Amino acid sequence: MSVEQAAVQRADFDQVMVPNYAPAAFIPVRGAGSHVWDQSGRELIDFAGGIAVNVLGHAHPKLVAALTEQANKLWHVSNVFTNEPALRLAHKLVNATFAERAFFCNSGAEANEAAFKLARRVAFDRFGSEKYEIIAALNSFHGRTLFTVNVGGQSKYSDGFGPKITGITHVPYNDLAALKAAISDKTCAVVLEPIQGEGGVLPAELGYLQGARDLCDAHDALLVFDEVQTGMGRSGHLFAYMHYGVVPDILTSAKSLGGGFPIAAMLTTEALAKHLVVGTHGTTYGGNPLACAVAEAVIDTVNTPEVLEGVKAKHRKFKTRLEQIGEKYGLFTQVRGLGLLIGCVLNDAWKGKAKDIFNAAEQEGLMILQAGPDVIRFAPSLVVEDADIDAGLDRFERAAAKLTQA
């Protein structure tokens, strides 16, 4: 029997995989909508969405059709050539946003790497070599490359990999005074998540983002919004900057952009994009026809009033029930977030026990997420059925009941 045909189990992970993950004890093998089945045939409701990736759930027929059609045409040509799906997708993103130019890559980290390189190159070209400093927020998360993990404001991810990239400063999130004190004419960019995802599902205050925009303008710095987790309808708008009405100079998107197929984008203006001339940055797989064809189907489906208004209605449904559960079982101090990126902040009695709640939910047939040890995170499909919301939250309540009665 070949390796491809051999039966595999969860124990195989510990034998053949690098141990940088600690996956759950079961292996999902099939999904449909907001439901997943594991190797044993057990059904689970998915409120994790592949960490805010499966924006239209599992095996959405429009995405399956787009992938199948493109798979029978052209898989890959590299960026020595362009391709039709990439150009169509770029047009749709440009037409739907502030942006005038798109750069495609494969992951959020790559999109942020491109954004940070662009910001430094723009400053170098316009103002010289001394203007290279980047300001980011504490508890932010921007990826796992050496550059992006250093811009991210969590030292637990950046320590232990040699000398850190210089010229990066971190300030408290939602603290405009701290940002004002840190910014200078040496600052090339301020990098912010409109909602801190890995940092605890913490939305920005409107005045904070407006103030950041003004400070960047005053110091000839670029405002970069990392919308890797908040983009593609997750907030109830196509991108979260639209909720706030604060327009960045550069925006990054990934996760939901491909609905489960790896793709990412950096969006910016024509004036800034021209600083990345031929040869200054690149990627072999970026703009892959398969990925772009799927992402085109995603944006066609998500960027509609029906879906985006539905996200806001589903948010209210989730929040109301979660607040009831939190109060009944004494779990949460707050339920926060925008759209279908929701965080339940654990109270003092449950601080540090998000993993326990994650495990209890899985035992009840529910897939959820953590955002650190103190926040339970929900990032379901944007088109999750109301009946699935009710059923999934019933399972969550059963998990809460068992935990608090133990």
Side-chain angles (χ1 to χ4, degrees):
M1 182 179 289
S2 70
V3 172
E4 289 78 12
Q5 295 172 325
V8 291
Q9 302 295 329
R10 168 60 180 83
D12 290 286
F13 181 95
D14 302 316
Q15 298 175 9
V16 296
M17 300 291 285
V18 173
N20 60 315
Y21 302 116
F26 68 97
I27 299 180
V29 295
R30 183 170 67 89
S34 291
H35 296 259
V36 167
W37 289 264
D38 71 6
Q39 286 179 314
S40 70
R42 181 178 63 134
E43 177 266 349
L44 299 97
I45 294 176
D46 183 4
F47 285 172
I51 314 182
V53 167
N54 297 326
V55 68
L56 296 173
H58 298 273
H60 191 283
K62 291 185 179 178
L63 305 195
V64 172
L67 179 59
T68 304
E69 180 181 354
Q70 186 59 43
N72 284 296
K73 292 181 177 178
L74 185 70
W75 283 36
H76 176 75
V77 290
S78 88
N79 286 294
V80 173
F81 311 93
T82 190
N83 65 80
E84 292 178 342
L87 296 177
R88 290 196 303 263
L89 178 60
H91 271 297
K92 289 180 178 181
L93 288 167
V94 164
N95 290 340
T97 68
F98 75 94
E100 297 163 332
R101 295 290 186 271
F103 168 82
F104 294 125
C105 46
N106 311 289
S107 68
E110 290 175 70
N112 283 329
E113 184 91 12
F116 306 158
K117 285 179 69 176
L118 173 59
R120 281 190 166 177
R121 178 54 66 103
V122 169
F124 178 87
D125 289 349
R126 291 181 175 179
F127 302 102
S129 61
E130 295 303 308
K131 190 177 179 67
Y132 66 93
E133 295 177 0
I134 293 173
I135 300 174
L138 290 169
N139 294 318
S140 61
F141 186 88
H142 300 295
R144 299 281 195 161
T145 66
L146 194 59
F147 197 174
T148 58
V149 83
N150 276 272
V151 174
Q154 301 188 58
S155 59
K156 64 183 179 182
Y157 295 134
S158 59
D159 289 349
F161 297 100
K164 299 202 175 176
I165 294 174
T166 59
I168 300 168
T169 302
H170 297 100
V171 295
Y173 191 68
N174 272 333
D175 187 338
L176 188 58
L179 179 57
K180 186 175 183 180
I183 199 168
S184 74
D185 289 340
K186 290 187 175 182
T187 304
C188 73
V190 173
V191 180
L192 296 171
E193 299 162 275
I195 307 170
Q196 284 196 333
E198 301 298 319
V201 192
L202 179 61
E205 297 166 1
L206 175 58
Y208 177 64
L209 295 187
Q210 290 174 330
R213 175 73 274 174
D214 292 341
L215 286 169
C216 285
D217 291 342
H219 290 275
D220 290 315
L222 301 181
L223 181 60
V224 180
F225 278 175
D226 176 343
E227 292 227 33
V228 167
Q229 196 157 154
T230 57
M232 297 307 292
R234 180 107 355 229
S235 69
H237 294 77
L238 186 62
F239 290 100
Y241 83 85
M242 298 170 176
H243 167 79
Y244 290 99
V246 177
V247 179
D249 299 295
I250 303 171
L251 180 145
T252 57
S253 176
K255 288 190 179 288
S256 294
L257 180 58
F261 202 103
I263 184 173
M266 179 190 71
L267 305 178
T268 190
T269 63
E270 179 184 2
L272 298 178
K274 68 182 182 182
H275 290 270
L276 286 185
V277 299
V278 173
T280 52
H281 191 61
T283 164
T284 298
Y285 283 105
N288 173 273
L290 293 169
C292 290
V294 175
E296 188 183 359
V298 170
I299 192 171
D300 286 347
T301 306
V302 168
N303 195 27
T304 61
E306 178 185 11
V307 170
L308 295 177
E309 290 303 314
V311 169
K312 297 170 188 175
K314 293 175 194 300
H315 169 88
R316 293 190 290 270
K317 189 175 182 68
F318 264 99
K319 186 175 182 183
T320 297
R321 181 76 185 280
L322 287 168
E323 287 176 339
Q324 291 170 350
I325 293 171
E327 183 175 354
K328 182 175 181 180
Y329 298 97
L331 290 174
F332 313 136
T333 61
Q334 184 185 14
V335 177
R336 65 192 183 196
L338 285 177
L340 289 177
L341 183 59
I342 298 169
C344 301
V345 183
L346 299 179
N347 61 24
D348 288 343
W350 287 91
K351 273 192 183 302
K353 297 181 179 180
K355 185 67 172 179
D356 294 341
I357 298 173
F358 171 95
N359 290 334
E362 184 261 307
Q363 291 169 11
E364 295 298 323
L366 179 67
M367 298 162 66
I368 59 173
L369 296 165
Q370 300 173 235
D374 302 328
V375 178
I376 299 298
R377 176 172 36 164
F378 295 82
S381 161
L382 303 191
V383 295
V384 56
E385 298 285 346
D386 285 351
D388 288 335
I389 297 175
D390 290 335
L393 292 177
D394 285 345
R395 297 181 187 191
F396 185 71
E397 181 164 2
R398 288 198 294 272
K402 288 185 178 179
L403 277 173
T404 54
Q405 291 168 8

